[in-house]
C-alpha cells in the first residue's frame, strides 16, 4: 500500500501484488515476467493476465499488443456462473 501511495496509484485502475520473495519469483516464472534490478529501481516487461476465481492463471498477453476483444474473449470463455 505504501508503494501505491508513493506513486499515486489509483486503486480503481491498479491492483498491486506482494508476497514472500520465493512466491513472487514463482509467479514471475509462471507468468513469463522478466524483472531485473537496475540500481534503486526495477526494470520489467509488460504482461496482462486473466485469472480465474480460484486465482489460477488462465492466460496471459505479452506486451501491450492485445485487443479488447481478445481480453473479453479470455474472460467470457472461462466465466463460471453460479
Amino acid at each position: 500500500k505504501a508503494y501505491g501511495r508513493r506513486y499515486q496509484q489509483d486503486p480503481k485502475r491498479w491492483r498491486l501484488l506482494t508476497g514472500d520473495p520465493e512466491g513472487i519469483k514463482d509467479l514471475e516464472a509462471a507468468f513469463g515476467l522478466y524483472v531485473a534490478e537496475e540500481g534503486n529501481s526495477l526494470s520489467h516487461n509488460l504482461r496482462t493476465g486473466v485469472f480465474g476465481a480460484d486465482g489460477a492463471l488462465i492466460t496471459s498477453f505479452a506486451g501491450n499488443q492485445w485487443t479488447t476483444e481478445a481480453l473479453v474473449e479470455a474472460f467470457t470463455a472461462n466465466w463460471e456462473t453460479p
Side-chain angles (χ1 to χ4, degrees):
K1 291 182 181 181
Y3 180 89
R5 285 190 299 270
R6 178 178 173 192
Y7 292 99
Q8 301 174 350
Q9 170 258 343
D10 180 356
K12 293 178 185 172
R13 294 184 50 116
W14 295 96
R15 299 292 184 265
L16 302 178
L17 178 67
T18 190
D20 66 89
E22 192 61 35
I24 292 171
K25 288 192 183 301
D26 289 346
L27 180 62
E28 290 170 2
F31 200 43
L33 188 61
Y34 164 81
V35 179
E37 291 186 38
E38 294 183 354
N40 291 332
S41 66
L42 294 175
S43 178
H44 60 84
N45 60 345
L46 177 61
R47 288 281 196 244
T48 300
V50 177
F51 292 84
D54 62 356
L57 178 64
I58 295 170
T59 191
S60 67
F61 298 91
N64 62 357
Q65 301 303 309
W66 51 267
T67 64
T68 303
E69 292 80 12
L71 190 59
V72 168
E73 181 180 330
F75 276 112
T76 57
N78 293 284
W79 193 267
E80 295 180 18
T81 55

